[in-house]
Amino acid sequence: MASVLSLPEPLQRFLSKFPLHTYSPIQVISRCPSQKPTLWIAPPRTTAVDQAFNFDILSTDVECLKWQAYIALRGLTNIAVRWDISPEGGIDGRLPCLHTPVLGDVSSELLAPRSIPGWVNGQVGGGNDPLNGYSDEILKDESHAWVSLLEGVVHAALTLSEPPRPALSQLFLTAIAGGRALATTLSPPPAPLTGLSSVLPPYGTNITLSSIQGQYAEAITSLSERLGTDHWFLGSENPTALDALAFAYLHCLLYSMDSTRIEVTRRVNLVAWERRVRTQVEAAFTVA
């Protein structure tokens, strides 16, 4: 049987020139083992590290900043951040990710955003409130509407206020916002890139900042009126996930181009609220 399955001698002589070597596995040893929870984020606006001041410790990515705010507003402090890891290095090829340290018999883990609330609940307690921090069921339902507004037209305005892509890439690439098509965040849906008179079939979407400027201005006005003089959105006694999301968008909008930033700067209560929350969020993090 062995002789039937053996290779022809000429082929054996040829393969003998390319021997197969098997090496023992390399043990990966971290040069800097994590001593405290570390959040992987997209880079801040200035990456120069200043150990005395953490003014540039907030991510420029609204999704990463949302989770920074969520962790800080839940009362956690002394959380490290690092921004030297590309999104491809995160879970599902996206940031942020939370790297937890080894604590006793608990091994280190790398958590996706969906697992961060559970980890936070384990650190500070809670997580059993059916109202998620809101005063009643009506306000909890209302929070869903505000989340849709922020992740809809406000997100679209923020995305469109970023530096434009080259014209050729705009033609062949659909605008993507946070891993989803930008067109799906808008109502009514935008017109296609190619019109009825085009020889090409309808393709892509034709979304401009000017086309949603009116909706965006109304959204910021509504947000300002709903906050009023309250300490937290919807009159909550303590910060909620809505406050973390609102802070992330307001902070990013205040550093965007003039046409989107000016709508926020006109609302004094939003600017003052963002500044107060920013101080709390910055104090919760250190550079890894």
Side-chain angles (χ1 to χ4, degrees):
M1 187 67 178
S3 61
V4 175
L5 298 178
S6 61
L7 295 175
E9 186 176 349
L11 184 57
Q12 291 183 18
R13 290 198 302 267
F14 174 76
L15 294 178
S16 66
K17 301 180 182 297
F18 307 96
L20 178 63
H21 296 284
T22 302
Y23 297 93
S24 59
I26 299 175
Q27 297 296 328
V28 179
I29 302 176
S30 176
R31 293 178 299 174
C32 301
S34 179
Q35 301 296 327
K36 53 187 175 182
T38 304
L39 189 67
W40 300 359
I41 62 172
R45 287 172 183 82
T46 303
T47 57
V49 177
D50 188 337
Q51 297 294 344
F53 301 98
N54 292 331
F55 296 144
D56 294 313
I57 207 167
L58 302 182
S59 175
T60 55
D61 177 73
V62 70
E63 183 69 13
C64 294
L65 184 55
K66 175 185 73 175
W67 288 107
Q68 281 188 272
Y70 177 84
I71 292 172
L73 294 181
R74 287 295 303 273
L76 291 175
T77 58
N78 198 29
I79 306 295
V81 291
R82 59 183 300 183
W83 49 79
D84 58 335
I85 299 175
S86 66
E88 291 76 12
I91 298 177
D92 297 329
R94 299 178 63 183
L95 294 176
C97 290
L98 180 65
H99 186 201
T100 63
V102 177
L103 294 175
D105 297 333
V106 180
S107 60
S108 177
E109 290 185 281
L110 186 63
L111 304 178
R114 60 182 176 272
S115 301
I116 293 178
W119 178 84
V120 172
N121 290 335
Q123 301 297 309
V124 301
N128 299 320
D129 181 9
L131 297 177
N132 297 332
Y134 301 104
S135 301
D136 52 45
E137 196 71 32
I138 296 177
L139 291 176
K140 178 183 176 182
D141 293 338
E142 183 184 347
S143 71
H144 298 159
W146 290 107
V147 169
S148 298
L149 183 70
L150 289 168
E151 293 184 340
V153 65
V154 175
H155 188 103
L158 177 62
T159 301
L160 294 172
S161 66
E162 296 174 352
R165 293 180 176 181
L168 189 61
S169 65
Q170 287 282 11
L171 179 64
F172 292 102
L173 296 179
T174 302
I176 298 297
R180 58 200 163 134
L182 186 60
T184 63
T185 67
L186 300 176
S187 179
L193 278 176
T194 55
L196 296 176
S197 60
S198 173
V199 296
L200 299 175
Y203 176 79
T205 53
N206 183 22
I207 308 174
T208 61
L209 183 58
S210 58
S211 65
I212 64 169
Q213 189 67 37
Q215 298 180 58
Y216 167 69
E218 291 178 3
I220 297 300
T221 299
S222 300
L223 199 67
S224 174
E225 293 176 351
R226 189 61 180 91
L227 176 63
T229 58
D230 290 342
H231 201 68
W232 302 109
F233 274 95
L234 306 189
S236 300
E237 184 178 351
N238 297 305
T240 62
L242 176 60
D243 294 288
L245 183 66
F247 166 76
Y249 278 105
L250 290 175
H251 179 80
C252 291
L253 287 168
L254 286 171
Y255 285 91
S256 62
M257 61 189 298
D258 290 341
S259 58
T260 51
R261 183 179 68 249
I262 193 172
E263 292 295 338
V264 179
T265 56
R266 286 174 176 170
R267 278 75 187 182
V268 178
N269 64 331
L270 291 182
V271 175
W273 185 86
E274 184 275 339
R275 184 180 297 115
R276 176 176 62 82
V277 178
R278 186 203 323 158
T279 302
Q280 182 175 345
V281 175
E282 288 174 336
F285 294 91
T286 60
V287 179

